[in-house]
């Protein structure tokens, strides 16, 4: 039997938060020795009229202070997408650290 989790490292990089008006930045993932990263974002109830999106950012420092948006990774989440998940994936980023931003 083949395992889907072979050669994969799983990490929780952000705790659940209540709906709000501020961006939520995940902990940066160190891409040293890895080719790909995927972030799974789970949503509960989304407030009607909310403008919600997710994107990936990359940078050279682990604290994200130099993070820039990764082109092509932004996903808009509709205000009626309650209790859904969004998966953002990146292959071979050009910088060492990648994080997810939920707006």
């Amino acid at each position: 039997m083949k395992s889907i989790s072979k050669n994969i490292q799983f990490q929780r990089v952000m705790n659940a938060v209540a709906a709000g008006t501020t961006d939520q930045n995940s902990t940066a993932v160190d891409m040293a020795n890895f080719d790909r990263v995927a972030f799974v974002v789970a949503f509960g109830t989304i407030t009607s009229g909310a403008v919600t999106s997710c994107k990936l950012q990359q940078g050279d420092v682990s604290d994200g202070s130099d993070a820039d948006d990764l082109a092509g990774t932004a996903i808009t989440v509709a205000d009626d997408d309650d209790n859904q998940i969004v998966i953002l994936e990146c292959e071979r980023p050009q910088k060492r650290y990648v994080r997810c931003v939920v707006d």
Side-chain angles (χ1 to χ4, degrees):
M1 177 165 81
K2 293 185 179 183
S3 172
I4 193 170
S5 62
K6 185 177 181 182
N7 298 323
I8 296 176
Q9 179 183 18
F10 295 94
Q11 295 178 338
R12 183 173 188 153
V13 294
M14 184 187 306
N15 291 325
V17 296
T21 58
T22 59
D23 292 357
Q24 297 296 312
N25 299 323
S26 76
T27 301
V29 174
D30 186 349
M31 294 299 298
N33 302 315
F34 293 95
D35 292 329
R36 294 177 179 87
V37 63
F39 292 86
V40 178
V41 181
F43 290 95
T45 302
I46 299 174
T47 304
S48 178
V51 179
T52 307
S53 62
C54 302
K55 64 184 175 184
L56 298 183
Q57 293 183 330
Q58 65 178 350
D60 292 316
V61 293
S62 63
D63 68 4
S65 60
D66 68 336
D68 292 317
D69 294 350
L70 268 162
T73 65
I75 296 175
T76 300
V77 180
D79 65 356
D80 61 352
D81 280 342
D82 296 340
N83 302 309
Q84 300 293 320
I85 63 168
V86 171
I87 300 174
L88 298 101
E89 189 171 5
C90 176
E91 183 176 1
R92 293 185 182 92
Q94 296 188 355
K95 298 188 178 179
R96 180 169 178 173
Y97 296 94
V98 177
R99 72 179 180 185
C100 181
V101 177
V102 180
D103 181 22

